[in-house]
Amino acid sequence: MRKQTTPIYIVCLIAIILTSFSSCRLAGINMKRETPKRGNVYPKFKEKDYVRGALNDKRSCFDVLHYTIDIDINPNKKYIKGFVDIEFAAVRNFKEMQIDLFKNMRIDSIVFNSTNLSFSRKYDAVYVIFSDSVQKGDVKTLRVFYQGKPMEAKRPPWEGGVVWKKSEDGSPWIGVACEQLGASVWFPNKDHLSDEPDKGATIKISVPKGLTVVSNGVQVEHRSSNDKEYFTWQTSYPINNYNITFYAGNFVSYSEEFQGIDTTFTLSYYVLPEHFEKSREAFKQTAPILHFYEKIFGAYPWAREGFKLVGSPYEGMEHQTAIAYGTKGRQMNGVDYIILHEAAHEWFGNSVSVPDVSDIFIHEGFATYAEALYMEQLYGKKAADNHLRTYSYFIKNKNPIVGVPDVNFWNYKDTDPYMKGAWTLHGLRFVINNDSLFFDILHLFYNQQAYKTTTVKDFTTFVNAKTGSDLSWYFQQYLYKREVPVLEYTKEFSEGELKLTVRWTKVGSNFVLPVELYVDSTPLRIEPTTEIQTVTIKDFENISFNIAPAYFAVKEVKKHKDKKK
């Protein structure tokens, strides 16, 4: 999902000019507003949050294999009616299971083996009661008939729901964006990120005559009647629930062939007529971006089903194989930002997914850092550093990046999983200090975890194994704590020499992040610890800390204080 970049000016750069026999400039990130006093800004979680976010025994008892969504959409009434088949395998014996559907949507009946089942509802959960126990290993199908006016999106994609708009010719434009909110806003399902349907989903949608429906995967059927259009789309890959989507509108389309690293597949574009020319120009960047991601991560994960960009009235959203492209567009250093960010999610977010939103760093941190890596390929490392430096202005440090599990909580206004997440990967690259190894880690981790769910702990374990070092201290500081590391230093000039004493504060006892000093433009790598260390530099004109390799604050002190016991 595209990040918000409302200026908050939490961080700024400082420069300290020193004069003696020579000049010394020590630049870093101002720590005065780095770590706000008020932190861990979480709501008070209630029972309904755990009902939505926890993998309880009524959810863990079954594994979803496939969804078939068969609905009719009425744009005039903003109404959906139809049924969903949930094919599942029993993980253990059970008589009751939880599925999910927002309480404003009516359930007409739930059918199992041609029999109507009883059910109860609490919050947005639906508890289905079987007359006989479902046995471990059974593969069964539950059909849920339902209808209603789904929640309308207030501010998609961040405040999600169903989107009802019109194109310039008055035709309806309909879509859905529901990350974190949950797919149960528009269809019944097991609304938990840990369970992606192993065999994918079939999406059957009927709309008024003249509209086109685009969804995930490939179109397998289109037929017309006097007043309706019927479309069937199908994906055979695993897919997380919020990525299951649809778009309906008066689209025009075109396509091109893409030669990937191991196969050829189709790039398809669907836009409204009024956006055709502008979008066609922007879409020229699609192939180069995909080539780059294939190079650093691996083969495009959905080659059998192609890649689509679909014009939408809201900003970008990484719907698997059918990315929402905000038709206002957005250029950043000559690169289309929406294509750049959302396409990265096809690897991290869609193929490699998280089982709980608390680990969203795996989606957003990786996709945001992918932007910087693309800038580096186009314009060099300095451009990538500047890209990340701009993002440092939006880091808030109010909460740890890794959030609270089992409650489905992530405040979309908190951009730290994006920006600070990208900085965390950039700093990891500097700590490893071996680009060949670092990019090998990105590539191998992706390929090991492709089509699976994974966690921050999994990534930490993988990095430790590949580097042969225990870097848990690094991830602990940047992902599990909100406090910014502070490099505390003193300076003393004497007879043409500069004596610096340095140490890390606001960190764990085993924190050993290296730092670069630039002495007359030549990098000098030092490795401060939490103990006071002295660095003596002779015969220099200019000195500066390089803030690019890692995210930290710099603070000058007259004298290092003794550690509190």
Side-chain angles (χ1 to χ4, degrees):
M1 180 169 64
R2 190 186 79 85
K3 57 188 163 290
Q4 286 199 143
T5 50
T6 305
I8 51 176
Y9 304 110
I10 293 297
V11 298
C12 60
L13 301 180
I14 60 170
I16 305 170
I17 307 299
L18 307 177
T19 57
S20 180
F21 298 99
S22 302
S23 66
C24 170
R25 183 176 62 86
L26 301 180
I29 300 175
N30 185 2
M31 60 88 64
K32 290 182 179 179
R33 297 175 64 191
E34 268 307 298
T35 305
K37 289 183 179 180
R38 185 168 181 259
N40 295 341
V41 186
Y42 298 119
K44 185 177 181 180
F45 298 115
K46 300 178 180 179
E47 181 187 26
K48 66 178 181 179
D49 299 306
Y50 292 95
V51 168
R52 169 68 177 88
L55 190 63
N56 57 50
D57 60 350
K58 291 181 177 59
R59 282 172 151 177
S60 60
C61 61
F62 69 102
D63 174 38
V64 177
L65 302 179
H66 186 267
Y67 291 112
T68 298
I69 302 166
D70 193 327
I71 58 173
D72 176 76
I73 298 177
N74 186 327
N76 293 328
K77 295 183 179 180
K78 298 182 179 180
Y79 205 84
I80 287 176
K81 183 177 182 179
F83 67 85
V84 171
D85 284 340
I86 305 173
E87 183 185 358
F88 65 90
V91 175
R92 60 176 179 271
N93 298 353
F94 65 88
K95 284 197 68 174
E96 186 175 352
M97 67 190 294
Q98 177 187 333
I99 59 175
D100 305 279
L101 182 67
F102 273 41
K103 60 186 177 182
N104 64 299
M105 302 293 284
R106 187 177 91 198
I107 294 178
D108 295 320
S109 62
I110 299 178
V111 180
F112 179 73
N113 289 344
S114 302
T115 302
N116 284 0
L117 297 181
S118 60
F119 61 90
S120 62
R121 305 187 72 170
K122 186 174 186 179
Y123 307 119
D124 295 326
V126 181
Y127 299 101
V128 183
I129 303 168
F130 294 83
S131 54
D132 297 308
S133 179
V134 180
Q135 300 299 299
K136 179 180 178 180
D138 284 353
V139 175
K140 301 291 184 180
T141 298
L142 197 70
R143 176 167 288 188
V144 183
F145 290 92
Y146 75 109
Q147 59 182 297
K149 296 180 71 171
M151 179 187 295
E152 190 167 350
K154 295 179 181 178
R155 189 169 176 254
W158 304 287
E159 295 180 39
V162 175
V163 181
W164 309 90
K165 297 289 185 180
K166 288 191 176 182
S167 53
E168 287 185 2
D169 65 0
S171 299
W173 188 104
I174 314 156
V176 63
C178 58
E179 184 178 8
Q180 194 198 350
L181 178 66
S184 53
V185 70
W186 71 282
F187 77 94
N189 65 91
K190 179 181 176 179
D191 211 351
H192 196 278
L193 291 176
S194 65
D195 195 355
E196 299 183 355
D198 304 71
K199 299 187 294 183
T202 301
I203 301 98
K204 300 181 178 183
I205 296 180
S206 58
V207 290
K209 188 79 171 178
L211 296 183
T212 296
V213 173
V214 184
S215 187
N216 310 97
V218 295
Q219 182 181 306
V220 296
E221 183 185 25
H222 172 218
R223 57 187 176 87
S224 301
S225 67
N226 290 334
D227 60 349
K228 293 281 187 181
E229 306 282 356
Y230 300 87
F231 289 86
T232 300
W233 288 79
Q234 191 168 57
T235 176
S236 59
Y237 293 103
I239 182 170
N240 68 45
N241 287 1
Y242 71 77
N243 268 318
I244 300 174
T245 196
F246 68 87
Y247 309 85
N250 181 27
F251 296 120
V252 293
S253 65
Y254 68 98
S255 62
E256 60 177 316
E257 292 302 297
F258 178 86
Q259 180 58 59
I261 59 177
D262 60 6
T263 189
T264 300
F265 56 93
T266 303
L267 310 182
S268 302
Y269 308 104
Y270 296 82
V271 294
L272 297 177
E274 58 262 34
H275 302 131
F276 182 79
E277 292 301 328
K278 181 181 178 181
S279 298
R280 191 180 184 96
E281 185 63 29
F283 293 164
K284 291 178 181 178
Q285 298 189 30
T286 305
I289 289 171
L290 293 180
H291 279 304
F292 175 72
Y293 290 152
E294 284 205 319
K295 183 175 104 175
I296 62 169
F297 298 140
Y300 176 69
W302 325 110
R304 294 197 309 268
E305 298 175 359
F307 175 93
K308 298 183 287 295
L309 290 172
V310 187
S312 67
Y314 60 87
E315 296 285 2
M317 186 65 215
E318 65 266 21
H319 298 134
Q320 187 169 306
T321 74
I323 290 171
Y325 178 82
T327 47
K328 292 181 180 179
R330 184 176 172 192
Q331 294 291 310
M332 181 174 61
N333 297 323
V335 180
D336 189 286
Y337 170 75
I338 294 176
I339 300 174
L340 183 63
H341 182 86
E342 305 304 345
H345 278 309
E346 293 285 39
W347 283 263
F348 283 94
N350 298 352
S351 179
V352 177
S353 304
V354 297
D356 190 287
V357 74
S358 60
D359 282 314
I360 202 68
F361 158 76
I362 297 291
H363 293 203
E364 301 300 351
F366 277 77
T368 305
Y369 191 53
E371 300 170 23
L373 294 178
Y374 189 68
M375 295 296 176
E376 182 176 328
Q377 179 200 239
L378 290 182
Y379 308 119
K381 285 189 175 182
K382 186 175 180 180
D385 288 346
N386 287 336
H387 183 78
L388 289 168
R389 189 172 310 195
T390 300
Y391 279 171
S392 72
Y393 286 88
F394 302 95
I395 296 174
K396 298 182 178 181
N397 296 308
K398 288 186 177 180
N399 291 323
I401 291 178
V402 175
V404 180
D406 299 329
V407 290
N408 190 51
F409 175 77
W410 171 32
N411 185 344
Y412 71 86
K413 295 179 181 179
D414 183 1
T415 55
D416 284 10
Y418 297 85
M419 281 74 160
K420 192 174 179 181
W423 270 93
T424 298
L425 290 171
H426 196 48
L428 177 65
R429 179 179 176 183
F430 182 69
V431 170
I432 292 173
N433 199 29
N434 180 330
D435 266 7
S436 177
L437 176 57
F438 175 76
F439 284 102
D440 197 38
I441 286 171
L442 295 185
H443 185 88
L444 291 176
F445 180 71
Y446 166 73
N447 283 275
Q448 176 179 290
Q449 301 297 327
Y451 312 111
K452 301 176 186 175
T453 59
T454 194
T455 65
V456 171
K457 289 182 179 178
D458 293 333
F459 182 60
T460 302
T461 300
F462 186 86
V463 170
N464 288 345
K466 286 296 295 180
T467 60
S469 302
D470 186 357
L471 298 180
S472 301
W473 59 269
Y474 180 81
F475 294 106
Q476 184 67 28
Q477 183 69 44
Y478 281 103
L479 298 180
Y480 294 92
K481 295 181 179 180
R482 72 184 187 93
E483 289 79 12
V484 176
V486 177
L487 186 65
E488 212 176 62
Y489 73 93
T490 69
K491 63 182 184 295
E492 180 182 343
F493 287 103
S494 178
E495 297 180 355
E497 293 182 348
L498 172 65
K499 181 187 291 185
L500 291 176
T501 61
V502 294
R503 74 172 178 188
W504 287 112
T505 62
K506 309 293 184 183
V507 296
S509 60
N510 55 352
F511 190 81
V512 290
L513 180 70
V515 176
E516 276 185 353
L517 277 174
Y518 273 76
V519 181
D520 295 335
S521 300
T522 300
L524 170 65
R525 186 180 175 101
I526 61 175
E527 298 194 3
T529 68
T530 55
E531 301 295 328
I532 298 171
Q533 298 180 41
T534 301
V535 179
T536 301
I537 302 170
K538 301 179 181 181
D539 302 324
F540 63 91
E541 291 295 330
N542 294 284
I543 297 178
S544 65
F545 284 118
N546 178 13
I547 73 156
Y551 183 79
F552 61 89
V554 175
K555 179 183 180 182
E556 181 185 6
V557 296
K558 292 182 178 180
K559 183 180 179 180
H560 294 291
K561 295 180 181 179
D562 292 335
K563 292 180 181 179
K564 293 182 180 179
K565 296 183 180 180

